[in-house]
Amino acid sequence: GAIFVQVAALSDPGRVAWLSGYLSGFGPVATEQLASGLTRIRLGPYQSTTSAVAALARVKAAGYADARLIPSRVTP
């Protein structure tokens, strides 16, 4: 399955827009609006663990120490 790198979950639309634009230099950006009002900001999907881990390392080196790998959910 595909793997995402979750970078942040933010409530401020301006920060979501800025971070999405900034992260576009790292790879494809995916956002997901949650019912709580937060927006998840992720990179991916990556088809290989190697690619996802490399993206995670780049994001962490850029100062996003809480970034983590998230496997995509598979709907039955």
Side-chain angles (χ1 to χ4, degrees), residues 1-3 44-52 72:
I3 304 168
Y46 296 96
Q47 298 305 314
S48 75
T49 302
T50 303
S51 297
S72 66

Side-chain angles (χ1 to χ4, degrees), residues 2-64:
I3 304 168
F4 289 87
V5 175
Q6 182 159 321
V7 180
L10 304 171
S11 61
D12 180 337
R15 290 187 66 205
V16 169
W18 181 88
L19 186 56
S20 295
Y22 174 75
L23 291 174
S24 67
F26 291 82
V29 177
T31 59
E32 179 185 2
Q33 181 72 43
L34 304 176
S36 66
L38 292 175
T39 300
R40 288 182 180 145
I41 304 171
R42 296 177 171 175
L43 291 174
Y46 296 96
Q47 298 305 314
S48 75
T49 302
T50 303
S51 297
V53 169
L56 176 63
R58 289 192 310 273
V59 168
K60 284 190 173 202
Y64 294 92

